[in-house]
Amino acid sequence: VPPLALGTATGTIPVGGSTIIETADTASTLTTGWAQVTSSQSLGGTAIFRYDPWSQEAAVPLLTSGGPTLEIPYQAGNGLSLGVALANPSATQAANITEVIRDANGKQLSSRTLTVGPESHTAFNPTFPANTTTGGVVEYDSNTNIYGLGIRSAPQGTALAFTSVRAAYK
C-alpha cells in the first residue's frame, strides 16, 4: 500500500500474507491522527510509532473493537509524563467523555469532560492534581465506543525513550 496521507487506501492481503500501511509524515511535517482499517475478514496487526531524533519506537496491537469505558495506567512523581490519544470512529455521534483521574486505591482525584466529534480524535496530556505522587489510572467514560492509547515519555527536551501504554477496556 502506498504511503497513507489524508484519504483512503485500499488493497488485498493474500491468505497468510501481510502488508504495511505507512503514513506520509516526516520529521518536518509530523502530525497526530488515526486510521481505521475495515475488512470483512478478521485481521491482526501492530501500530508502530517512531521518533527519529531519538531513534526510539513504541508499538501497540491494533484494537478490534473499542468500548464506552477505558482505563490507562499512570505513574506520577517520577519525571515521566503521560500523553493520551482518544479516537471516536462513529460517523454520526459525538463522544461526550468524562475523564476521571484515580489514585492507586481507586480514590477520585479529579474529573473533567471533553467532546470528540464524529470520526475525529484528540491528543493531550492529562492534568494531574499537584499532590499526585503515586500511580493510578485515568478513566474515560463515553456515551459511544471510543479507542484510546497512552504514550509515556520523559520530559520534553530530554533524550530518553518513550513507550506506548495500551488502554484497558471495561
Side-chain angles (χ1 to χ4, degrees), residues 94-115:
N96 298 309
I97 302 167
T98 300
E99 173 190 79
V100 178
I101 297 177
R102 299 185 185 279
D103 67 13
N105 296 315
K107 178 184 173 191
Q108 181 175 325
L109 302 176
S110 66
S111 69
R112 69 178 178 128
T113 59
L114 59 142
T115 300

Side-chain angles (χ1 to χ4, degrees), residues 67-164:
T69 300
L70 62 93
E71 293 179 340
I72 299 175
Y74 72 88
Q75 183 179 5
N78 61 2
L80 297 173
S81 64
L82 175 68
V84 172
L86 300 173
N88 174 11
S90 173
T92 59
Q93 188 173 14
N96 298 309
I97 302 167
T98 300
E99 173 190 79
V100 178
I101 297 177
R102 299 185 185 279
D103 67 13
N105 296 315
K107 178 184 173 191
Q108 181 175 325
L109 302 176
S110 66
S111 69
R112 69 178 178 128
T113 59
L114 59 142
T115 300
V116 179
E119 294 186 331
S120 194
H121 77 284
T122 186
F124 55 90
N125 294 95
T127 303
F128 295 97
N131 61 347
T132 307
T133 59
T134 63
V137 297
V138 184
E139 182 178 294
Y140 295 94
D141 295 303
S142 175
N143 61 311
T144 187
N145 284 351
I146 55 174
Y147 291 81
L149 172 70
I151 298 288
R152 192 172 101 144
S153 66
Q156 188 172 2
T158 60
L160 296 175
F162 67 94
T163 189
S164 62

Side-chain angles (χ1 to χ4, degrees), residues 3 8 10 12-13 18 26 30 43 52 59 65-66 69 73 75 84 102 128 136:
T8 302
T10 61
T12 301
I13 303 172
S18 65
T26 64
L30 185 63
L43 296 175
D52 284 330
S65 65
T69 300
Q75 183 179 5
V84 172
R102 299 185 185 279
F128 295 97

